[in-house]
Amino acid sequence: MSGALQTIGLSKRFGGLTATDDVSFTLGHGARHALIGPNGAGKTTFINLLTGVLSANEGTILLEGEDVTRMPQQQRARRGLGRTFQINQLFGAMTPVESVGLAVSERMGGGGQFWRRLGKRTDIVDEIVELLRQFRLIEVMDEPTARLPYGKQRLLEIAVALASQPRVLLLDEPAAGVPEAERGELLDTLAALPRDVSILLIEHDMDLVFSFADRISVLVNGALFAEGTPEVMRNDPRVQDVYLGSDNHV
């Protein structure tokens, strides 16, 4: 079965440790797919293989049907693969409008302060403002990122990722570190992400997983353990035993 992103027999070893074990996985077009599993299951390794941070020992990675297995990170990004990180990669001294403007500039082949010249184009200004509005950042658009509440920083990171106009977006624990009082805004914003972007969510927050995903894959010891709809996964006794019924997801 083809999809927006697909792996076939993907494996990664570190010496005698198999971190990713023969994983064949498909992210459907427009999907809202969650990847869950106990700590140490290999989720981050899997994401790093998809994005090119790590090289696979065996297997194939297809992005919109194109083999990107040996492509460097930058080429995968240019072909429409975006991601966020467990710990945000934002520049604390930059404001949200500067961060989003710089991301738009990079997408258009600019760099450095090139984004400032884009301000003369109303279509670019409209795009930046719309992203800031969509991610509830208008009121803080001129504040240094380091001063923003952490939930706003997580929203800004996703906005920056979307500014590159990815076809596939990998969200690596977007709720990590976000205070409970700010999670509602994060959940609502994620639910409103455009459906023309296929999304793989890696997350420990089960409220977020079950409210967001239309399909869930469970990774255990680097191998694909189970997969199905949220309702099926919630009621699968094997999944409850290895993950949902334990403290591993807390």
Side-chain angles (χ1 to χ4, degrees), residues 36-193:
I36 66 173
N39 291 325
K43 300 183 296 295
T44 296
T45 298
F46 183 64
I47 294 302
N48 285 337
L49 289 169
L50 295 178
T51 56
V53 174
L54 295 172
S55 299
N57 292 110
E58 288 100 25
T60 303
I61 303 169
L62 301 174
L63 178 61
E64 298 283 1
E66 180 182 9
D67 189 343
V68 299
T69 311
R70 305 302 170 197
M71 284 185 186
Q73 297 178 62
Q74 295 83 354
Q75 287 188 27
R76 298 186 200 198
R78 284 195 291 268
R79 281 166 169 76
L81 182 60
R83 75 169 293 182
T84 64
F85 296 82
Q86 290 182 24
I87 300 173
N88 78 58
Q89 307 290 302
L90 301 168
F91 295 103
M94 293 181 68
T95 65
V97 70
E98 289 172 334
S99 296
V100 173
L102 181 58
V104 172
S105 170
E106 291 177 348
R107 186 190 81 217
M108 299 180 69
Q113 299 301 309
F114 175 72
W115 73 269
R116 295 183 184 278
R117 297 197 295 274
L118 298 180
K120 299 177 181 179
R121 290 182 48 182
T122 57
D123 57 329
I124 300 300
V125 171
D126 289 346
E127 178 183 345
I128 294 170
V129 170
E130 175 56 26
L131 278 167
L132 293 171
R133 185 205 60 76
Q134 179 182 350
F135 286 90
R136 309 182 186 201
L137 296 165
I138 289 290
E139 293 182 358
V140 295
M141 62 187 292
D142 294 317
E143 290 289 328
T145 295
R147 296 183 189 172
L148 301 182
Y150 196 64
K152 292 290 189 185
Q153 293 184 30
R154 301 302 280 185
L155 289 172
L156 175 57
E157 188 178 19
I158 302 171
V160 168
L162 274 187
S164 66
Q165 296 186 347
R167 299 195 303 273
V168 174
L169 180 60
L170 312 178
L171 299 176
D172 195 353
E173 298 193 29
V178 177
E180 190 66 34
E182 299 175 41
R183 291 196 175 200
E185 184 176 55
L186 178 65
L187 265 64
D188 291 344
T189 306
L190 289 176
L193 289 173

